[in-house]
Amino acid sequence: MSEVTTGKQQLGVGMVGYAFMGAAHSQGWRTAGRVFDLPLEPRLAAVCGRDATAVRSAADRLGWAAAETDWRALIARDDVQLVDICTPGDSHAEIAIAALDAGKHVLCEKPLANTVEEAEAMVEAAERAAARGQIAMVGFNYRRVPALAYARTLVEAGRLGALRHVRVTYLQDWLVDPAFPLTWRLEKDKAGSGALGDLGAHIVDLAQYLTGEHLTGVAALTETFVRERPLLSGSSAGLAGEGGSGTGPVTVDDAALFTGRLASGALASFEATRFATGRKNALRLELNGERGSLAFDLERLNELAFHDHTTDPAEAGFRRILVTEPQHPYLAAWWPPGHGLGYEHTFVHQARDLVEAVAAGKALAPTFADGLQVQRVLAAVEESAQKNSVYTPVPPL
Ligand code: SOE
């Protein structure tokens, strides 16, 4: 079957991993060139996974031209110029550094790495690669929700004035049932941390992105509510837990609550949990400043609540901005006003921005250095929690 091309120069993408994030990224790569007028045409050249049968099926389902079972072979392909890493965190550093050293651009899913040390090595590789015109980006996709990209412009324009408070929560409930099995996200050696790195990384990045400030210190509590879970079926019982009980230890946090101070002195509060019963993917945030406030709820992601404190008190109050106008970020390419977007469009926007950055030879945020900064906050949270919430500084970049 002849490939449909637009006659444009192509950007060959190779993706490692094809689960939830791989499917979401595939949607982004397939769609970006069909909605936005891109300088390069993304080509889904190859997808990689260890199981030959499963990855072949994923290639067919997700629209990839070829399937590989070794990420090193994927990186070596001449038709791959950009490597997209959608694997668990324990392989991010090895794959990203090898891809950058092989001359490829890299998009790496969040969190950047499982440790600060790995993240620092990734930043060093990215800096070497930048000198060769290569781009390295970390996939904090919520920055590309139009309402949040627009919120950033309002903060940057001073519409909130001096910031006093940032409060962000990210609530899920998929671990409430103790019978949920011991998947890779619950094992420190694979995931690095639990709700903290998976959900907390997003809200730390958003707080720093929206305010334009870094967190300088945190005080934290973390908890693991269910400490043993059933091994996945097919695991040999007794690998973990005494006497082959068929269960294994959860070695990561189930929830993290922390406060923080931003560089300007504004105060921040964060909650990341997988035990907020009834909350499925509830990322909510509010910024309070001298001149106004902003509020956002991912479950209503086409809306932004804005309170302009400079207006007549008799008329003041939070008003709902429906972020679907052509002048709002990304929206000109989509539907007429009022026809909202969804979660998956953040990956289309991410792909669009990355293709444009590659074509322009310009770095694109969030960079690996941004990912390292988040990793340092996460490490400070874990250190504080281990010291019974002692306030812990975040080392500057
Ligand atoms: C966790 O379940 C998760 O898939 C995160 O890993 C993603 O980053 C988030 O966007 C949705 O929830």
Side-chain angles (χ1 to χ4, degrees):
M1 179 185 79
S2 63
E3 285 182 34
V4 174
T5 65
T6 56
K8 288 181 182 176
Q9 184 186 342
Q10 294 189 326
L11 175 67
V13 181
M15 184 173 76
V16 188
Y18 52 87
F20 174 10
M21 282 302 116
H25 285 225
S26 301
Q27 160 99 350
W29 293 120
R30 289 194 308 267
T31 309
R34 302 289 175 272
V35 173
F36 296 95
D37 180 14
L38 297 182
L40 299 170
E41 178 67 28
R43 177 175 180 270
L44 284 71
V47 59
C48 180
R50 283 166 296 192
D51 180 313
T53 305
V55 71
R56 180 68 261 171
S57 166
D60 296 340
R61 184 175 76 253
L62 300 174
W64 294 85
E68 295 280 0
T69 55
D70 177 352
W71 61 263
R72 295 167 188 80
L74 180 108
I75 286 175
R77 289 175 66 106
D78 292 335
D79 62 350
V80 167
Q81 289 82 47
L82 185 150
V83 175
D84 184 1
I85 303 169
C86 294
T87 58
D90 62 337
S91 57
H92 286 186
E94 185 181 22
I95 298 172
I97 293 169
L100 288 165
D101 287 350
K104 315 291 182 173
H105 306 289
V106 171
L107 169 59
C108 183
E109 256 299 323
K110 44 55 62 182
L112 183 65
N114 282 0
T115 66
V116 169
E117 294 70 26
E118 287 176 347
E120 288 170 341
M122 294 169 82
V123 167
E124 287 166 13
E127 287 167 352
R128 292 195 301 270
R132 298 191 294 265
Q134 294 164 243
I135 287 170
M137 177 184 178
V138 57
F140 288 114
N141 60 300
Y142 293 125
R143 290 185 179 211
R144 290 173 160 89
V145 173
L148 291 177
Y150 181 58
R152 174 60 191 147
T153 68
L154 293 174
V155 174
E156 214 160 20
R159 297 296 300 276
L160 301 192
L163 292 175
R164 304 300 184 210
H165 289 286
V166 178
R167 63 186 66 81
V168 208
T169 60
Y170 198 165
L171 314 177
Q172 294 182 349
D173 71 355
W174 55 279
L175 282 183
V176 167
D177 182 352
F180 186 93
L182 194 71
T183 59
W184 70 265
R185 287 184 187 279
L186 306 179
E187 297 179 295
K188 186 172 185 62
D189 61 334
K190 295 188 178 65
S193 62
L196 177 62
D198 187 22
L199 308 178
H202 274 303
I203 58 181
V204 165
D205 177 69
L206 279 178
Q208 298 188 135
Y209 162 65
L210 291 171
T211 62
E213 299 179 37
H214 283 166
L215 282 159
T216 56
V218 293
L221 290 171
T222 59
E223 184 53 68
T224 304
F225 300 114
V226 174
R227 296 182 177 273
E228 284 279 323
R229 288 187 177 269
L231 294 177
L232 277 169
S233 57
S235 311
S236 49
L239 267 183
E242 295 306 317
S245 61
T247 65
V250 174
T251 51
V252 297
D253 59 280
D254 286 330
L257 277 64
F258 51 106
T259 57
R261 192 181 297 279
L262 288 158
S264 66
L267 296 181
S269 61
F270 301 88
E271 184 177 3
T273 180
R274 293 160 164 168
F275 278 74
T277 313
R279 297 298 180 197
K280 299 308 172 184
N281 199 39
L283 191 166
R284 297 166 173 173
L285 65 89
E286 181 162 318
L287 280 69
N288 306 132
E290 262 190 330
R291 297 168 53 86
S293 291
L294 286 169
F296 171 82
D297 180 347
L298 186 63
E299 292 177 352
R300 304 172 70 96
L301 66 82
N302 292 287
E303 301 174 19
L304 186 64
F306 176 40
H307 164 66
D308 182 346
H309 204 54
T310 66
T311 54
D312 177 352
E315 300 171 358
F318 279 93
R319 58 187 171 84
R320 182 190 76 151
I321 301 173
L322 190 56
V323 186
T324 58
E325 297 298 317
Q327 58 267 50
H328 287 135
Y330 306 105
L331 263 300
W334 292 104
W335 320 120
H339 298 70
L341 301 182
Y343 170 77
E344 80 271 19
H345 297 93
T346 66
F347 297 95
V348 180
H349 300 161
Q350 181 171 265
R352 176 260 196 166
D353 291 348
L354 191 42
V355 169
E356 294 200 343
V358 166
K362 287 184 182 166
L364 179 66
T367 64
F368 275 18
D370 294 323
L372 170 59
Q373 162 62 17
V374 171
Q375 213 69 44
R376 286 186 171 157
V377 173
L378 302 182
V381 166
E382 290 187 316
E383 184 180 342
S384 172
Q386 284 155 8
K387 297 175 180 172
N388 206 23
S389 298
V390 164
Y391 187 78
T392 303
V394 176
L397 275 178

